[in-house]
Amino acid sequence: MKVDKTTFFMLVCGGLLLAVGCSTTPKKNTNAIFYPPPPAQPRLQYLTHFSVPTDLETPRSAFQKFLLGEDPAQRPEVVKPYGMAVQGAKLYICDTITAQVHILDFEKQIWEYFRPSNTGKLGKPINIAVDADLFRYVADPKRGEVVVYTPNGLFLAGIGREENMKPVGVVVSTNRIYIADLAHRVVQVVDKATRNPLFTIPLNPENAEEKLFSPTNLALDSQGRIYVSDTGAFRVQQYDSEGNSLQTFGEHGDSAGQFARNKGIAVDRDGNLYVVDAASQAVQIFNSKGELLLFFGEPGACDVPLVLPADVVIDYN
């Protein structure tokens, strides 16, 4: 398996951080933990987890306490994490119970909260995308919209209410917004500038090979291809940028290369596909040809198993 030494995986399951090919000793563990476990050749290293602000932020020193007072009162922890996004040094985590987005700034070591009110109030944030200009796109099925916010967190627009969407996944490219619409069992493709609908995927929904049953999570690769985690069909569908069907990953089952409840997905810059399965509680990695390379995290097979994982993102910074 070809893996860049600076690649990091972040998986939502109460806040788990993994690294690939990294030799750094985890600061919260006395012994390094690897996947797969010995005697197999190690491929991934567990680093740490994030559940509460103190997992990220450095406690105030005695001098800081003298100047600023004691640390602030206990702030909300991650209750039920689901979708994530990484942009720059920040990790954005949707919390479906508290209806907010946790923002972890790794550069400043600050834990922030995004919980807009009034017109922009979130009902149930499921997935989030953040573009290069730092605009935020939150898929909120309770509102029936993908809610768009400015880089400062101000409400800008809602997409999908007029079309009676049930948006559960969202990704953005330079000029398009892709929305996993569970109500219509399609991916809605929207112009990013005007926010007007362009077309839907699949192009031929009557074709069993292209049809989507329960599209829940989306990913884009460097070539603009769209990946759809179809939980209802136990597979991941790949389409080109214009919606033409290309190939399928996985099938129904509980063995390697099969899915029981596939959810979050991500694609690295080498074209490898990462698929989270909440039922088997593992992440499977496929190459661009659909061949299984590795799976990890399943309970009983490692010291730090995944617990109901929901999403995965990849960061090179």
Side-chain angles (χ1 to χ4, degrees), residues 73-156:
Q74 180 66 36
R75 288 173 292 149
E77 62 184 27
V78 178
V79 180
K80 189 175 181 181
Y82 196 93
M84 298 183 295
V86 170
Q87 189 59 255
K90 293 183 178 181
L91 171 66
Y92 301 76
I93 306 173
C94 291
D95 193 328
T96 60
I97 295 295
T98 61
Q100 65 186 345
V101 178
H102 300 265
I103 305 176
L104 282 61
D105 189 325
F106 293 104
E107 184 175 295
K108 297 180 180 178
Q109 291 189 303
I110 296 174
W111 188 301
E112 302 172 316
Y113 300 89
F114 177 57
R115 192 172 187 175
S117 57
N118 300 323
T119 307
K121 183 177 181 180
L122 292 169
K124 188 176 183 179
I126 290 286
N127 268 303
I128 183 170
V130 182
D131 67 17
D133 296 317
L134 303 182
F135 284 83
R136 306 168 188 175
Y137 303 78
V138 182
D140 189 332
K142 188 172 183 179
R143 283 185 58 130
E145 294 178 313
V146 167
V147 197
V148 187
Y149 302 91
T150 68
N152 294 326
L154 300 177
F155 172 76
L156 183 62

Coordinates of all heavy atoms in Angstrom, one line a residue, residues 73-156:
A73 N -15.1 27.6 33.0 CA -15.9 26.4 33.5 C -16.0 25.4 32.4 O -15.7 25.6 31.2 CB -17.3 26.9 33.8
Q74 N -16.3 24.2 32.8 CA -16.3 23.0 31.9 C -17.2 23.4 30.7 O -18.4 23.8 30.8 CB -16.9 21.8 32.6 CG -17.0 20.6 31.7 CD -15.6 20.0 31.3 OE1 -14.7 20.1 32.1 NE2 -15.6 19.5 30.1
R75 N -16.7 23.2 29.5 CA -17.4 23.5 28.3 C -17.9 22.2 27.6 O -17.4 21.1 28.0 CB -16.5 24.3 27.3 CG -16.3 25.7 27.8 CD -15.3 26.4 26.9 NE -13.9 25.8 27.1 CZ -13.0 25.8 26.2 NH1 -13.2 26.2 25.0 NH2 -11.8 25.3 26.4
P76 N -18.9 22.3 26.8 CA -19.5 21.1 26.2 C -18.5 20.2 25.5 O -17.6 20.6 24.8 CB -20.5 21.6 25.2 CG -20.8 23.0 25.7 CD -19.5 23.5 26.3
E77 N -18.6 18.9 25.7 CA -17.8 17.9 25.0 C -18.5 17.4 23.8 O -19.7 17.8 23.5 CB -17.5 16.7 26.0 CG -18.7 16.0 26.4 CD -18.5 14.9 27.4 OE1 -17.5 15.0 28.1 OE2 -19.2 13.9 27.4
V78 N -17.8 16.6 23.0 CA -18.5 16.0 21.8 C -19.4 14.9 22.3 O -19.0 14.0 23.0 CB -17.4 15.4 20.9 CG1 -18.1 14.7 19.7 CG2 -16.4 16.5 20.4
V79 N -20.7 15.0 22.0 CA -21.7 14.1 22.5 C -21.9 13.0 21.4 O -21.7 11.8 21.7 CB -23.0 14.8 22.8 CG1 -24.0 13.8 23.3 CG2 -22.7 15.8 23.9
K80 N -22.3 13.3 20.2 CA -22.6 12.4 19.2 C -22.0 12.9 17.9 O -22.7 13.5 17.1 CB -24.1 12.1 19.0 CG -24.4 10.9 18.1 CD -25.8 10.5 18.0 CE -26.1 9.3 17.1 NZ -27.5 9.0 17.0
P81 N -20.7 12.7 17.7 CA -20.1 13.2 16.4 C -20.5 12.4 15.2 O -20.8 11.2 15.3 CB -18.6 13.0 16.7 CG -18.6 11.8 17.6 CD -19.8 11.9 18.5
Y82 N -20.5 13.1 14.1 CA -20.8 12.4 12.8 C -19.9 13.0 11.7 O -18.7 12.5 11.7 CB -22.3 12.6 12.4 CG -22.8 11.6 11.4 CD1 -23.3 10.4 11.7 CD2 -22.6 11.9 10.0 CE1 -23.7 9.5 10.7 CE2 -23.0 11.0 9.0 CZ -23.5 9.8 9.4 OH -23.9 9.0 8.4
G83 N -20.3 13.9 10.9 CA -19.5 14.3 9.8 C -18.4 15.3 10.2 O -18.5 16.0 11.2
M84 N -17.4 15.3 9.4 CA -16.2 16.1 9.6 C -15.7 16.8 8.4 O -16.0 16.4 7.3 CB -15.1 15.3 10.2 CG -15.3 14.7 11.6 SD -13.9 13.8 12.2 CE -13.7 12.5 10.9
A85 N -14.9 17.8 8.6 CA -14.1 18.4 7.5 C -12.8 19.0 8.0 O -12.8 19.4 9.2 CB -15.0 19.5 6.8
V86 N -11.8 19.0 7.2 CA -10.6 19.6 7.5 C -10.3 20.7 6.5 O -10.4 20.6 5.3 CB -9.4 18.6 7.5 CG1 -8.1 19.3 7.7 CG2 -9.6 17.6 8.6
Q87 N -9.9 21.9 7.0 CA -9.4 23.0 6.2 C -8.4 23.8 6.9 O -8.6 24.3 8.0 CB -10.6 23.9 5.9 CG -10.3 25.0 4.8 CD -9.9 24.4 3.5 OE1 -8.7 24.4 3.1 NE2 -10.8 23.8 2.7
G88 N -7.2 23.8 6.3 CA -6.1 24.5 7.0 C -5.7 23.7 8.3 O -5.6 22.5 8.2
A89 N -5.6 24.4 9.4 CA -5.2 23.8 10.6 C -6.4 23.4 11.5 O -6.3 23.1 12.7 CB -4.3 24.7 11.4
K90 N -7.6 23.5 10.9 CA -8.8 23.3 11.7 C -9.6 22.1 11.3 O -9.7 21.7 10.1 CB -9.8 24.5 11.6 CG -9.2 25.8 12.2 CD -10.2 27.0 12.1 CE -9.6 28.2 12.7 NZ -10.6 29.3 12.7
L91 N -10.1 21.4 12.3 CA -11.0 20.2 12.1 C -12.4 20.6 12.6 O -12.6 21.1 13.7 CB -10.5 19.0 13.0 CG -11.4 17.8 13.1 CD1 -11.5 17.2 11.7 CD2 -10.9 16.8 14.1
Y92 N -13.4 20.4 11.7 CA -14.8 20.7 12.0 C -15.5 19.4 12.3 O -15.5 18.5 11.4 CB -15.4 21.5 10.8 CG -14.7 22.8 10.5 CD1 -13.5 22.8 9.8 CD2 -15.3 24.0 10.8 CE1 -12.9 24.0 9.4 CE2 -14.6 25.2 10.5 CZ -13.4 25.2 9.8 OH -12.8 26.3 9.4
I93 N -16.2 19.3 13.4 CA -16.9 18.1 13.7 C -18.4 18.4 14.0 O -18.7 19.2 14.9 CB -16.3 17.5 15.0 CG1 -14.8 17.2 14.8 CG2 -17.0 16.1 15.3 CD1 -14.1 16.8 16.1
C94 N -19.3 17.8 13.3 CA -20.7 17.9 13.5 C -21.2 17.1 14.7 O -20.8 15.9 14.8 CB -21.5 17.5 12.3 SG -21.3 18.5 10.8
D95 N -21.9 17.7 15.6 CA -22.4 17.1 16.8 C -24.0 17.1 16.6 O -24.6 18.1 16.8 CB -22.0 17.8 18.0 CG -22.3 16.9 19.3 OD1 -23.2 16.2 19.3 OD2 -21.5 17.1 20.3
T96 N -24.5 15.9 16.4 CA -26.0 15.9 16.0 C -26.9 16.1 17.3 O -28.0 16.4 17.1 CB -26.3 14.5 15.3 OG1 -26.0 13.5 16.2 CG2 -25.5 14.4 14.1
I97 N -26.3 15.8 18.5 CA -27.1 15.9 19.7 C -27.2 17.4 20.1 O -28.3 17.9 20.5 CB -26.6 15.0 20.8 CG1 -26.7 13.5 20.4 CG2 -27.3 15.3 22.1 CD1 -28.2 13.1 20.3
T98 N -26.1 18.0 20.2 CA -26.0 19.4 20.7 C -26.3 20.4 19.5 O -26.3 21.6 19.8 CB -24.7 19.7 21.3 OG1 -23.6 19.5 20.3 CG2 -24.4 18.8 22.5
A99 N -26.5 19.9 18.3 CA -26.8 20.8 17.2 C -25.8 21.9 17.0 O -26.1 23.1 16.9 CB -28.2 21.4 17.3
Q100 N -24.5 21.6 17.0 CA -23.5 22.5 16.8 C -22.3 21.9 16.1 O -22.3 20.7 15.9 CB -23.0 23.1 18.1 CG -22.4 22.1 19.1 CD -22.1 22.7 20.4 OE1 -22.1 23.9 20.6 NE2 -21.8 21.8 21.4
V101 N -21.3 22.7 15.7 CA -20.1 22.2 15.1 C -18.9 22.6 16.0 O -18.8 23.7 16.4 CB -19.9 22.8 13.7 CG1 -18.6 22.3 13.1 CG2 -21.1 22.5 12.8
H102 N -18.2 21.6 16.4 CA -17.0 21.8 17.2 C -15.9 22.1 16.2 O -15.7 21.5 15.2 CB -16.6 20.6 18.0 CG -17.6 20.1 19.0 ND1 -17.6 20.5 20.3 CD2 -18.7 19.3 18.8 CE1 -18.6 19.9 20.9 NE2 -19.3 19.2 20.0
I103 N -15.1 23.1 16.5 CA -14.0 23.5 15.6 C -12.7 23.5 16.4 O -12.5 24.2 17.4 CB -14.2 25.0 15.1 CG1 -15.5 25.1 14.4 CG2 -13.0 25.3 14.1 CD1 -15.8 26.5 13.9
L104 N -11.8 22.5 16.0 CA -10.6 22.3 16.7 C -9.4 23.0 15.9 O -9.2 22.6 14.8 CB -10.3 20.8 16.9 CG -11.0 20.1 18.0 CD1 -12.5 20.2 17.8 CD2 -10.6 18.7 18.1
D105 N -8.8 24.0 16.5 CA -7.7 24.7 15.8 C -6.4 24.1 16.4 O -6.0 24.4 17.5 CB -7.8 26.2 16.1 CG -6.8 27.0 15.3 OD1 -5.7 26.5 15.0 OD2 -7.2 28.2 14.9
F106 N -5.8 23.3 15.6 CA -4.6 22.6 16.0 C -3.4 23.6 16.1 O -2.4 23.3 16.8 CB -4.3 21.4 15.1 CG -5.3 20.3 15.2 CD1 -6.2 20.1 14.3 CD2 -5.3 19.5 16.4 CE1 -7.1 19.1 14.4 CE2 -6.2 18.5 16.5 CZ -7.2 18.3 15.5
E107 N -3.4 24.6 15.3 CA -2.3 25.6 15.3 C -2.3 26.4 16.5 O -1.3 26.6 17.2 CB -2.4 26.5 14.0 CG -1.2 27.4 13.9 CD -1.3 28.2 12.6 OE1 -1.2 27.5 11.5 OE2 -1.5 29.4 12.6
K108 N -3.4 26.9 16.9 CA -3.6 27.8 18.1 C -3.9 27.0 19.3 O -3.9 27.5 20.4 CB -4.6 28.8 17.8 CG -4.3 29.8 16.7 CD -5.4 30.8 16.6 CE -5.1 31.8 15.4 NZ -6.2 32.8 15.2
Q109 N -4.2 25.7 19.1 CA -4.6 24.8 20.2 C -5.8 25.4 21.0 O -5.8 25.5 22.2 CB -3.5 24.5 21.2 CG -2.4 23.7 20.6 CD -1.3 23.2 21.6 OE1 -0.7 24.1 22.3 NE2 -1.1 21.9 21.7
I110 N -6.9 25.7 20.2 CA -8.1 26.3 20.7 C -9.3 25.4 20.3 O -9.3 25.0 19.1 CB -8.3 27.7 20.2 CG1 -7.2 28.6 20.8 CG2 -9.6 28.3 20.6 CD1 -7.2 30.1 20.2
W111 N -10.2 25.2 21.2 CA -11.4 24.5 20.9 C -12.5 25.5 20.8 O -12.9 26.1 21.8 CB -11.7 23.4 21.9 CG -12.8 22.5 21.7 CD1 -14.1 22.8 21.5 CD2 -12.7 21.0 21.7 NE1 -14.8 21.6 21.4 CE2 -14.0 20.5 21.5 CE3 -11.6 20.1 21.8 CZ2 -14.3 19.2 21.4 CZ3 -11.9 18.8 21.8 CH2 -13.2 18.3 21.5
E112 N -13.2 25.6 19.7 CA -14.3 26.6 19.5 C -15.6 25.9 19.2 O -15.6 24.7 18.9 CB -13.9 27.6 18.3 CG -12.6 28.3 18.5 CD -12.2 29.1 17.2 OE1 -12.3 28.5 16.1 OE2 -11.8 30.3 17.4
Y113 N -16.7 26.7 19.3 CA -18.0 26.1 19.0 C -18.7 27.0 18.0 O -18.7 28.2 18.1 CB -18.8 26.1 20.3 CG -18.2 25.3 21.4 CD1 -17.3 25.8 22.3 CD2 -18.5 23.9 21.5 CE1 -16.7 25.1 23.3 CE2 -17.9 23.1 22.5 CZ -17.1 23.7 23.4 OH -16.5 22.9 24.4
F114 N -19.4 26.3 17.0 CA -20.2 27.1 16.1 C -21.6 26.6 16.2 O -22.0 25.5 15.9 CB -19.7 26.7 14.6 CG -20.5 27.4 13.6 CD1 -20.6 28.8 13.5 CD2 -21.1 26.6 12.6 CE1 -21.4 29.4 12.5 CE2 -21.8 27.2 11.6 CZ -22.0 28.6 11.5
R115 N -22.4 27.5 16.9 CA -23.8 27.2 17.1 C -24.6 28.5 16.8 O -25.0 29.2 17.7 CB -24.0 26.8 18.6 CG -25.4 26.2 18.8 CD -25.5 25.6 20.2 NE -26.7 24.9 20.4 CZ -27.0 24.3 21.5 NH1 -26.2 24.2 22.5 NH2 -28.2 23.7 21.6
P116 N -24.9 28.7 15.5 CA -25.6 29.9 15.1 C -27.0 29.9 15.6 O -27.6 28.9 15.9 CB -25.5 29.8 13.5 CG -25.3 28.4 13.2 CD -24.5 27.8 14.4
S117 N -27.5 31.1 15.7 CA -28.9 31.3 16.2 C -29.7 32.0 15.1 O -29.3 32.3 14.0 CB -28.9 32.2 17.4 OG -28.3 33.4 17.2
N118 N -31.0 32.2 15.4 CA -31.9 32.9 14.5 C -32.1 32.2 13.2 O -32.2 31.0 13.1 CB -31.5 34.4 14.4 CG -31.4 35.1 15.7 OD1 -32.3 34.9 16.6 ND2 -30.5 36.0 15.9
T119 N -31.9 33.0 12.1 CA -32.2 32.4 10.8 C -31.2 31.2 10.5 O -31.6 30.3 9.8 CB -32.0 33.5 9.7 OG1 -32.9 34.6 10.0 CG2 -32.4 32.9 8.3
G120 N -30.0 31.3 11.0 CA -29.0 30.3 10.6 C -28.9 29.2 11.6 O -28.0 28.3 11.5
K121 N -29.9 29.1 12.5 CA -29.8 28.0 13.6 C -29.9 26.6 13.0 O -30.7 26.3 12.1 CB -31.0 28.2 14.5 CG -31.0 27.3 15.7 CD -32.2 27.5 16.6 CE -32.2 26.6 17.8 NZ -33.3 26.8 18.8
L122 N -29.0 25.8 13.5 CA -28.9 24.4 13.0 C -29.9 23.5 13.8 O -30.1 23.7 15.0 CB -27.5 23.9 13.2 CG -26.4 24.5 12.3 CD1 -25.1 24.1 12.8 CD2 -26.7 24.1 10.9
G123 N -30.5 22.6 13.1 CA -31.4 21.6 13.7 C -30.7 20.3 14.0 O -30.8 19.8 15.1
K124 N -30.1 19.7 13.0 CA -29.4 18.5 13.2 C -28.2 18.4 12.1 O -28.4 17.9 11.1 CB -30.3 17.3 13.0 CG -29.6 16.0 13.4 CD -30.6 14.8 13.3 CE -30.0 13.5 13.7 NZ -30.9 12.3 13.7
P125 N -27.1 19.0 12.5 CA -26.0 19.0 11.5 C -25.4 17.6 11.4 O -25.0 17.0 12.3 CB -25.0 20.0 12.2 CG -25.3 19.9 13.6 CD -26.8 19.7 13.7
I126 N -25.5 17.1 10.1 CA -25.0 15.7 9.9 C -23.6 15.7 9.2 O -22.7 15.0 9.6 CB -26.0 15.0 9.0 CG1 -27.3 14.7 9.7 CG2 -25.4 13.7 8.4 CD1 -27.2 13.6 10.7
N127 N -23.5 16.5 8.2 CA -22.2 16.6 7.5 C -21.8 18.0 7.2 O -22.7 18.9 7.1 CB -22.2 15.7 6.2 CG -21.7 14.3 6.4 OD1 -20.6 14.1 6.9 ND2 -22.6 13.3 6.1
I128 N -20.5 18.3 7.0 CA -20.1 19.6 6.7 C -19.0 19.6 5.7 O -18.2 18.6 5.6 CB -19.6 20.3 8.1 CG1 -19.1 21.7 7.8 CG2 -18.4 19.5 8.7 CD1 -18.8 22.5 9.1
A129 N -18.9 20.6 4.9 CA -17.8 20.9 4.0 C -17.4 22.3 4.1 O -18.2 23.2 4.4 CB -18.3 20.6 2.5
V130 N -16.1 22.5 4.0 CA -15.5 23.9 4.2 C -14.6 24.1 2.9 O -13.7 23.3 2.7 CB -14.7 24.1 5.5 CG1 -14.1 25.5 5.6 CG2 -15.5 23.7 6.7
D131 N -14.9 25.1 2.1 CA -14.1 25.3 0.9 C -12.8 26.1 1.2 O -12.6 26.5 2.3 CB -15.0 25.9 -0.2 CG -15.4 27.4 0.1 OD1 -14.8 28.0 1.0 OD2 -16.3 27.9 -0.6
A132 N -12.1 26.3 0.1 CA -10.8 27.0 0.3 C -10.9 28.4 0.7 O -10.0 29.0 1.3 CB -10.0 26.9 -1.1
D133 N -12.1 29.0 0.5 CA -12.3 30.4 1.0 C -12.9 30.4 2.4 O -13.3 31.5 2.9 CB -13.2 31.1 0.0 CG -12.6 31.3 -1.4 OD1 -11.4 31.6 -1.4 OD2 -13.3 31.0 -2.4
L134 N -13.1 29.2 3.0 CA -13.5 29.1 4.4 C -15.1 29.3 4.5 O -15.6 29.5 5.6 CB -12.8 30.0 5.4 CG -11.3 29.8 5.4 CD1 -10.7 30.7 6.4 CD2 -10.9 28.3 5.7
F135 N -15.8 29.2 3.4 CA -17.3 29.2 3.5 C -17.7 27.8 4.0 O -17.1 26.8 3.6 CB -17.9 29.5 2.2 CG -17.9 30.9 1.8 CD1 -16.7 31.5 1.2 CD2 -19.0 31.8 2.1 CE1 -16.7 32.9 0.9 CE2 -18.9 33.1 1.7 CZ -17.8 33.7 1.1
R136 N -18.7 27.8 4.9 CA -19.1 26.5 5.5 C -20.4 26.0 4.9 O -21.4 26.9 4.7 CB -19.2 26.7 7.0 CG -18.0 27.2 7.7 CD -18.3 27.7 9.1 NE -17.1 28.4 9.7 CZ -17.1 28.9 10.9 NH1 -18.2 28.9 11.6 NH2 -16.0 29.5 11.3
Y137 N -20.5 24.8 4.6 CA -21.7 24.2 4.1 C -22.1 23.0 5.0 O -21.4 22.0 5.1 CB -21.5 23.7 2.6 CG -21.0 24.7 1.7 CD1 -19.6 25.1 1.7 CD2 -21.8 25.3 0.8 CE1 -19.2 26.1 0.8 CE2 -21.4 26.3 -0.1 CZ -20.0 26.7 -0.1 OH -19.5 27.6 -0.9
V138 N -23.3 23.1 5.6 CA -23.7 22.1 6.6 C -25.0 21.4 6.1 O -26.0 22.1 5.9 CB -23.9 22.8 8.0 CG1 -24.3 21.7 9.0 CG2 -22.7 23.5 8.5
A139 N -24.9 20.1 6.0 CA -26.1 19.3 5.6 C -26.9 19.1 6.9 O -26.5 18.5 7.8 CB -25.7 18.0 5.0
D140 N -28.2 19.6 6.9 CA -29.0 19.6 8.0 C -30.4 19.0 7.6 O -31.3 19.7 7.1 CB -29.2 21.0 8.6 CG -29.9 21.0 9.9 OD1 -30.8 20.1 10.2 OD2 -29.7 21.9 10.7
P141 N -30.6 17.7 7.8 CA -31.9 17.1 7.3 C -33.1 17.6 8.1 O -34.2 17.5 7.6 CB -31.6 15.6 7.5 CG -30.5 15.5 8.6 CD -29.7 16.7 8.3
K142 N -32.9 18.0 9.3 CA -34.0 18.6 10.1 C -34.5 19.9 9.5 O -35.7 20.1 9.5 CB -33.6 18.8 11.6 CG -34.7 19.1 12.5 CD -34.3 19.1 14.0 CE -35.4 19.4 14.9 NZ -35.0 19.3 16.3
R143 N -33.6 20.7 9.1 CA -34.0 21.9 8.4 C -34.4 21.6 7.0 O -35.1 22.4 6.3 CB -32.8 22.9 8.3 CG -32.6 23.7 9.6 CD -31.5 24.7 9.4 NE -31.8 25.7 8.4 CZ -31.7 27.0 8.5 NH1 -31.3 27.5 9.7 NH2 -32.0 27.8 7.5
G144 N -34.0 20.5 6.4 CA -34.2 20.2 5.0 C -33.4 21.0 4.1 O -33.8 21.3 2.9
E145 N -32.2 21.4 4.5 CA -31.4 22.3 3.7 C -29.9 22.0 4.0 O -29.5 21.5 5.0 CB -31.6 23.8 4.1 CG -33.0 24.4 3.8 CD -33.1 25.8 4.3 OE1 -32.7 26.1 5.5 OE2 -33.6 26.6 3.5
V146 N -29.1 22.4 3.0 CA -27.7 22.6 3.2 C -27.6 24.1 3.5 O -27.9 25.0 2.7 CB -26.8 22.3 2.0 CG1 -25.4 22.8 2.1 CG2 -26.8 20.8 1.8
V147 N -27.1 24.4 4.7 CA -27.0 25.8 5.2 C -25.6 26.3 4.9 O -24.6 25.7 5.3 CB -27.3 25.9 6.7 CG1 -27.7 27.3 7.1 CG2 -28.5 24.9 7.1
V148 N -25.6 27.5 4.3 CA -24.3 28.1 3.9 C -24.0 29.3 4.8 O -24.8 30.1 5.0 CB -24.3 28.5 2.4 CG1 -23.0 29.0 2.0 CG2 -24.9 27.4 1.5
Y149 N -22.7 29.3 5.3 CA -22.3 30.4 6.2 C -21.0 31.0 5.6 O -20.2 30.3 4.9 CB -22.0 29.8 7.6 CG -23.2 29.2 8.2 CD1 -23.4 27.8 8.1 CD2 -24.1 29.9 9.0 CE1 -24.4 27.1 8.7 CE2 -25.2 29.2 9.6 CZ -25.3 27.9 9.4 OH -26.4 27.3 10.0
T150 N -20.8 32.3 5.9 CA -19.6 33.0 5.6 C -18.4 32.5 6.4 O -18.6 31.7 7.4 CB -19.7 34.5 5.8 OG1 -19.8 34.7 7.2 CG2 -21.0 35.0 5.1
P151 N -17.2 32.8 6.0 CA -16.0 32.4 6.9 C -16.1 32.9 8.3 O -15.5 32.3 9.2 CB -14.9 33.1 6.1 CG -15.3 33.2 4.7 CD -16.8 33.5 4.8
N152 N -16.9 34.0 8.6 CA -17.1 34.5 9.9 C -18.3 33.8 10.6 O -18.6 34.1 11.8 CB -17.3 36.0 9.9 CG -16.1 36.7 9.4 OD1 -15.0 36.3 9.7 ND2 -16.3 37.8 8.7
G153 N -18.9 32.8 10.0 CA -20.0 32.1 10.6 C -21.3 32.8 10.4 O -22.3 32.4 11.1
L154 N -21.5 33.8 9.6 CA -22.8 34.4 9.4 C -23.6 33.6 8.4 O -23.1 33.1 7.4 CB -22.6 35.8 8.9 CG -21.8 36.8 9.8 CD1 -21.6 38.1 9.2 CD2 -22.5 36.9 11.2
F155 N -24.9 33.5 8.6 CA -25.8 32.8 7.7 C -25.8 33.5 6.4 O -26.0 34.7 6.3 CB -27.2 32.8 8.3 CG -28.3 32.2 7.4 CD1 -28.3 30.9 7.1 CD2 -29.1 33.1 6.7 CE1 -29.3 30.4 6.2 CE2 -30.1 32.6 5.9 CZ -30.2 31.2 5.6
L156 N -25.7 32.7 5.3 CA -25.7 33.3 3.9 C -26.9 32.8 3.1 O -27.6 33.6 2.5 CB -24.4 32.9 3.2 CG -24.2 33.5 1.8 CD1 -24.1 35.0 1.9 CD2 -22.9 32.9 1.2

